[in-house]
Amino acid sequence: MTRKLFGTDGVRGQANSWPMTAEMALKLGAAAGRYFRRDGRNAHRVVIGKDTRLSGYMLENALTAGLTSTGMNVLLLGPVPTPAVGFLTRSMRADIGIMISASHNPAEDNGIKFFGPDGFKLSDEAEAEIEQIVGSAITPAQPQNIGRAKRIDDGLGRYIEYAKTTFPRRGQLAGLKVVVDCANGAAYRAAPEVLWELGAEVIPVGVAPNGHNINDRCGSTHTDTAAEAVVAHGADLGISLDGDADRVMILDETGRVADGDQIMALLAARWADAGQLRGGALVATVMSNLGLERFLEGRGLRLERTKVGDRYVVERMRAGGFNLGGEQSGHIVMTDYATTGDGLIAGLQFLAAMVETGERASDLVRQFETVPQMLTNVRYAAGQEPLSAASVQAAIADAEARLQGKGRLLIRKSGTEPLIRVMAECEDDAILGDVVGGIVAALSA
């Protein structure tokens, strides 16, 4: 079956436009309810979380209607980080977890992510089955079996308490000043509270959501805001989250940024030294820098690459028994602690490294020298297939020939936006600029 609704991270689009409409959310809720109620039991439950987008109210109500129409009981968590939904799905013995969020995208977008009863995101096969049910007639529950819905007040508190347990008890954060940028998103309450309760002096940024300002000049995709706050307040560290807090960028005391590759390198080295890195490998995507691969090889460790999407990282981790993985974009997946990327817990692990080594953040954020990398996004119109054009194919072939033995090229469609992502790595900056520029020009023609 060709999937049309689901991308690399659930269903996503502009709010009130297909597929992010109330009508489609209702159908998705009913389809998910039918998928998980195939054994006929009536005691099923769903937890639903959301970020701070205005459209979250609309989608939450529509999903709830669809789910309860098939007999599912819905527990509404309100604004919580995406990893909290994964945690609470398993903790509360729910059959489904749903997160309403478009992650790092602007406020006018939204998305719907599904988690299975184990707290992990659904497989491609499960999503394909739900999509097939959406397109067919969905049998509703009998009137006496319609589900109930209620607000859960302690869900966020449960996650906060759990997040604190992932920080080593012997290491407290007293004496450390930490900037945390919550992107006016889902972690605007949880992240500052966790850090403060662990003893840090907290400088909160991006904690005034109004439904429209999520990811707006703040968060992990706009680290200048956190960097300015770090320098202005003389902070020891900056933690910059995205709108649903499943990814993070770390900033040292000078405002310099460490992306997901550098954070993973630090954790992999520390965990390997402590005998905690299972399988002697780190799982990352094809987007991770060649420098990370060389760093790991120098320590006798492996880099296992997957296609782009934290769900594929997690699938490889589970299949291979690995416990550390992630993406350059800041998804850090630590299955000892969470079922999906957790920006807050990753930030706590970085803080643990600072506390245990006594080193400054600037001593830890640069674990390896990156191979020069250039990434350019080219937007295309709906219905177009720009990669099939002969001129684009010729530009790609020329780029591959020029990079032979000197670097690598990766071109892919975004799974969440109408973008072609052109990425290349090469030690020669001139060649790097030429090959990316040539492909971008062909795509834009």
Side-chain angles (χ1 to χ4, degrees), residues 58-405:
M58 173 187 76
L59 297 172
E60 178 186 57
N61 288 330
L63 281 165
T64 299
L67 289 158
T68 53
S69 77
T70 55
M72 304 296 285
N73 295 315
V74 178
L75 307 177
L76 300 168
L77 304 172
V80 295
T82 286
V85 173
F87 165 70
L88 291 167
T89 300
R90 187 164 55 179
S91 172
M92 301 179 76
R93 297 181 62 188
D95 297 273
I96 318 174
I98 300 177
M99 180 65 183
I100 304 169
S101 174
S103 190
H104 60 286
N105 284 23
E108 58 266 25
D109 292 344
N110 218 326
I112 299 172
K113 309 176 188 181
F114 291 93
F115 294 82
D118 57 3
F120 287 93
K121 290 179 180 177
L122 295 185
S123 66
D124 284 345
E125 293 73 23
E127 289 184 345
E129 286 195 51
I130 291 173
E131 186 164 331
Q132 190 169 28
I133 296 171
V134 168
S136 61
I138 301 173
T139 304
Q142 293 298 310
Q144 67 273 19
N145 294 329
I146 292 172
R148 301 174 183 270
K150 65 177 180 179
R151 295 267 168 200
I152 299 297
D153 295 328
D154 67 343
L156 183 64
R158 291 190 189 199
Y159 171 72
I160 286 172
E161 288 304 311
Y162 173 70
K164 285 159 56 180
T165 69
T166 67
F167 190 80
R169 292 188 181 277
R170 64 182 179 278
Q172 295 299 310
L173 298 180
L176 288 177
K177 185 183 293 187
V178 181
V179 166
V180 59
D181 182 350
C182 301
N184 291 313
Y188 78 99
R189 291 172 55 196
E193 192 163 334
V194 167
L195 292 165
W196 184 83
E197 290 184 5
L198 287 172
E201 180 182 346
V202 181
I203 311 299
V205 175
V207 290
N210 61 16
H212 303 284
N213 60 358
I214 188 171
N215 300 314
D216 185 13
R217 296 187 298 277
C218 58
S220 64
T221 54
H222 190 89
T223 54
D224 288 351
T225 298
E228 290 169 5
V230 166
V231 173
H233 292 275
D236 299 289
L237 185 73
I239 298 173
S240 192
L241 306 170
D242 72 334
D244 68 335
D246 65 352
R247 64 170 71 181
V248 65
M249 294 288 171
I250 297 292
L251 298 93
D252 69 14
E253 70 276 9
T254 71
R256 183 171 58 168
V257 178
D259 65 11
D261 283 351
Q262 297 288 350
I263 300 168
M264 288 188 291
L266 172 67
L267 296 182
R270 283 175 51 78
W271 288 15
D273 290 345
Q276 298 172 350
L277 186 69
R278 293 204 297 270
L282 167 70
V283 181
T285 76
V286 291
M287 295 297 291
S288 279
N289 194 273
L290 186 59
L292 173 61
E293 191 168 348
R294 294 172 178 173
F295 171 85
L296 294 171
E297 289 174 351
R299 286 156 179 75
L301 305 173
R302 302 191 318 280
L303 178 64
E304 299 254 340
R305 289 190 185 268
T306 73
K307 58 184 178 180
V308 174
D310 65 304
R311 60 182 299 160
Y312 302 115
V313 170
V314 173
E315 286 176 4
R316 181 69 191 103
M317 290 172 67
R318 298 179 75 187
F322 308 116
N323 62 342
L324 180 62
E327 295 187 282
Q328 185 185 66
S329 59
H331 285 112
I332 310 296
V333 184
M334 303 159 287
T335 51
D336 291 348
Y337 303 119
T339 59
T340 188
D342 192 313
L344 174 58
I345 291 180
L348 292 178
Q349 289 298 305
F350 193 96
L351 281 163
M354 291 177 62
V355 170
E356 291 172 3
T357 64
E359 295 187 63
R360 298 173 302 173
S362 56
D363 299 320
L364 300 174
V365 295
R366 191 63 58 191
Q367 293 292 305
F368 62 89
E369 291 300 320
T370 59
V371 174
Q373 183 182 85
M374 184 177 291
L375 171 64
T376 302
N377 296 323
V378 182
R379 189 168 293 273
Y380 61 93
Q384 289 186 342
E385 292 294 337
L387 291 178
S388 63
S391 58
V392 174
Q393 290 294 316
I396 292 172
D398 177 67
E400 289 174 337
R402 295 192 65 187
L403 288 172
Q404 187 83 29

